């Protein structure tokens, strides 16, 4: 197919002629939408159609719909959710089933709008020191809970026809700074990371897509994971993750260098796709020129990812919400 090795945002609620021309030429693998792109259900559906029309295929359209602070769609367009950690805590032993239902609802709401990929599950393990930008987005502070909930989240999305995206590989939970603003440096012993943080991602290595962490792990390399061949090798070999790996947003301030340089370094390190989110056309042009087309191996992973898309069975969202309420009230066994 020859996809561009990119996933791009767009500037507004409707594509400009310049964006349409650019997307047609660059042929990004997919797109991502943000608050600035989302007004009404009809407008969102039309935008998704326009994005796919620009590349002439059923390209995946991504969103960050975790719940809590990181929730691009809100009422009346979609259900309002607690931060994930708050939801996990309140459901206790029933949390995996409750989170499955939550993300099955999210999937139904996304699919109704034309959005078919969600940047979740996030299986970063929280610690006492985890930066507040991330902490309540986590599913727990221990490996077992995080893996069980992460598997449930992925299952809910897949059953609803939405591609899950595992993040932030190989683990963001020990970051004490916000990678949107600075480069977090984790100095934890390598064996501790392997047994705990990295193990969560190894347990979910069958998810079709993943997103990197802009974090330096000094036990392994002095470069951020996104730019590190050693870390990408660890993700592929030690964790056994053979899904399509996209960078976290390449324009985040954790990374230093031009967008062209960072795009090439990421691909050279072993990433498959460059994610660029802010919708600035001149920046997207730089990224597209630097990234070029997907490698043969990346294209194989891309096709395997697309093959995971399912046509979901119809669901009654109110019925799924009632199941969650029953779990919360202790009237249903959430095994």
């Amino acid at each position: 197919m020859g996809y561009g090795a990119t996933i791009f945002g767009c500037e507004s609620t409707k594509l400009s002629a310049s964006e349409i021309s650019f997307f047609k030429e660059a042929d990004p693998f997919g797109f991502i939408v943000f608050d600035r792109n989302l007004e009404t259900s009809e407008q969102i559906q039309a935008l998704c159609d326009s994005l796919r029309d620009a590349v002439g295929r059923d390209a995946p359209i991504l969103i960050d719909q975790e719940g809590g602070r990181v929730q691009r769609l809100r009422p009346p367009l979609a259900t309002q959710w607690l931060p994930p950690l708050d939801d996990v805590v309140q459901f206790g032993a029933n949390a995996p089933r409750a989170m499955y239902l939550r993300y099955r609802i999210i999937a139904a709401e996304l699919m109704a709008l034309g959005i078919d990929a969600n940047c979740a599950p996030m299986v970063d393990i929280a610690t006492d020191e985890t930066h507040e930008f991330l902490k309540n987005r986590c599913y727990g502070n221990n490996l077992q809970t995080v893996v069980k909930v992460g598997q449930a989240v992925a299952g809910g999305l897949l059953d609803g026809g939405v591609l899950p995206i595992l993040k932030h590989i190989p683990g963001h939970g020990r970051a004490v700074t916000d990678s949107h603003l600075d480069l977090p440096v984790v100095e934890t012993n390598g064996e501790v990371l392997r047994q705990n943080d990295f193990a969560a991602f190894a347990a979910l290595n069958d998810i079709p897509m993943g997103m990197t962490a802009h974090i330096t792990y000094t036990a392994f390399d002095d470069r951020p994971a996104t730019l590190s061949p050693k870390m990408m090798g660890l993700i592929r070999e030690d964790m056994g993750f053979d899904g399509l790996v996209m960078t976290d947003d390449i324009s985040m301030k954790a990374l230093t260098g031009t967008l062209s340089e960072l795009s090439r370094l990421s691909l050279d390190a072993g990433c498959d796709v460059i994610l660029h989110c802010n919708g600035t056309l001149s920046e997207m042009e730089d990224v597209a020129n630097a990234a070029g087309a997907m490698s043969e191996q990346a294209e194989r992973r891309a096709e395997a990812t697309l093959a995971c898309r399912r046509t979901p069975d119809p669901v009654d969202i109110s019925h799924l919400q009632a199941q969650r309420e029953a779990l919360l009230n202790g009237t249903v066994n959430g095994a």
Side-chain angles (χ1 to χ4, degrees):
M1 292 295 296
Y3 308 118
T6 50
I7 295 173
F8 286 132
C10 58
E11 188 174 29
S12 188
T13 56
K14 185 178 180 180
L15 295 185
S16 67
S18 297
E19 286 175 319
I20 292 170
S21 177
F22 167 69
F23 290 145
K24 182 176 181 180
E25 177 68 23
D27 195 20
F29 172 67
F31 302 94
I32 187 166
V33 292
F34 289 87
D35 306 54
R36 65 180 183 270
N37 310 123
L38 311 169
E39 283 185 346
T40 69
S41 57
E42 294 79 9
Q43 170 268 319
I44 296 166
Q45 291 165 357
L47 177 62
C48 290
D49 288 345
S50 296
L51 289 167
R52 291 181 171 118
D53 287 347
V55 294
R57 55 185 164 80
D58 189 15
I61 296 179
L62 288 59
I63 196 168
D64 292 293
Q65 190 74 353
E66 299 175 9
R69 188 175 67 259
V70 182
Q71 178 168 342
R72 311 305 181 198
L73 291 163
R74 299 183 184 275
L77 292 170
T79 303
Q80 181 68 47
W81 299 101
L82 289 173
L85 186 57
D86 294 356
D87 225 7
V88 170
V89 169
Q90 75 167 346
F91 279 97
N94 289 330
R97 178 60 181 169
M99 293 294 278
Y100 170 88
L101 292 167
R102 168 176 166 146
Y103 281 85
R104 183 64 183 85
I105 293 168
I106 288 173
E109 293 174 337
L110 295 180
M111 287 290 283
L113 297 171
I115 300 167
D116 63 352
N118 192 10
C119 299
M122 194 185 85
V123 298
D124 305 318
I125 299 174
T127 71
D128 291 342
E129 291 78 34
T130 300
H131 192 279
E132 62 181 8
F133 103 90
L134 189 85
K135 190 164 188 175
N136 69 1
R137 298 165 58 194
C138 298
Y139 304 151
N141 60 7
N142 66 83
L143 176 63
Q144 183 179 30
T145 297
V146 168
V147 167
K148 285 183 177 179
V149 174
Q151 290 169 334
V153 167
L157 291 172
L158 281 167
D159 286 351
V162 171
L163 293 169
I165 300 171
L166 184 66
K167 65 184 186 187
H168 303 84
I169 297 176
H172 212 303
R174 295 182 190 270
V176 297
T177 56
D178 183 349
S179 57
H180 293 86
L181 305 174
D182 298 290
L183 175 63
V185 176
V186 172
E187 298 180 339
T188 304
N189 174 276
E191 193 55 34
V192 171
L193 290 170
R194 289 180 190 275
Q195 294 295 324
N196 194 61
D197 305 63
F198 297 175
F201 292 88
L204 279 79
N205 64 9
D206 57 342
I207 289 179
M209 286 183 71
M211 176 192 289
T212 64
H214 294 333
I215 293 183
T216 292
Y217 306 85
T218 59
F220 299 95
D221 200 348
D222 60 1
R223 289 168 288 188
T226 303
L227 309 180
S228 167
K230 186 166 187 177
M231 294 308 299
M232 291 304 302
L234 184 150
I235 289 165
R236 295 300 191 192
E237 295 155 22
D238 292 18
M239 297 181 193
F241 187 83
D242 193 39
L244 188 74
V245 171
M246 68 182 195
T247 69
D248 203 344
D249 183 7
I250 203 69
S251 64
M252 286 164 61
K253 304 235 179 340
L255 304 181
T256 55
T258 68
L259 292 175
S260 295
E261 291 167 345
L262 294 172
S263 297
R264 279 310 329 160
L265 287 170
S266 299
L267 294 171
D268 290 346
C271 295
D272 297 311
V273 186
I274 306 301
L275 175 67
H276 180 275
C277 294
N278 67 29
T280 302
L281 185 56
S282 60
E283 292 187 7
M284 292 192 290
E285 289 171 341
D286 289 345
V287 170
N289 288 334
M294 278 188 181
S295 69
E296 185 176 333
Q297 194 170 38
E299 192 170 324
R300 173 187 62 78
R301 295 186 180 117
E303 292 298 329
T305 294
L306 296 177
C308 292
R309 295 196 285 198
R310 307 172 186 170
T311 301
D313 293 331
V315 292
D316 181 337
I317 287 178
S318 64
H319 180 61
L320 298 178
Q321 290 169 332
Q323 290 184 52
R324 277 178 48 90
E325 286 296 317
L327 289 173
L328 190 58
N329 296 331
T331 56
V332 173
N333 185 346

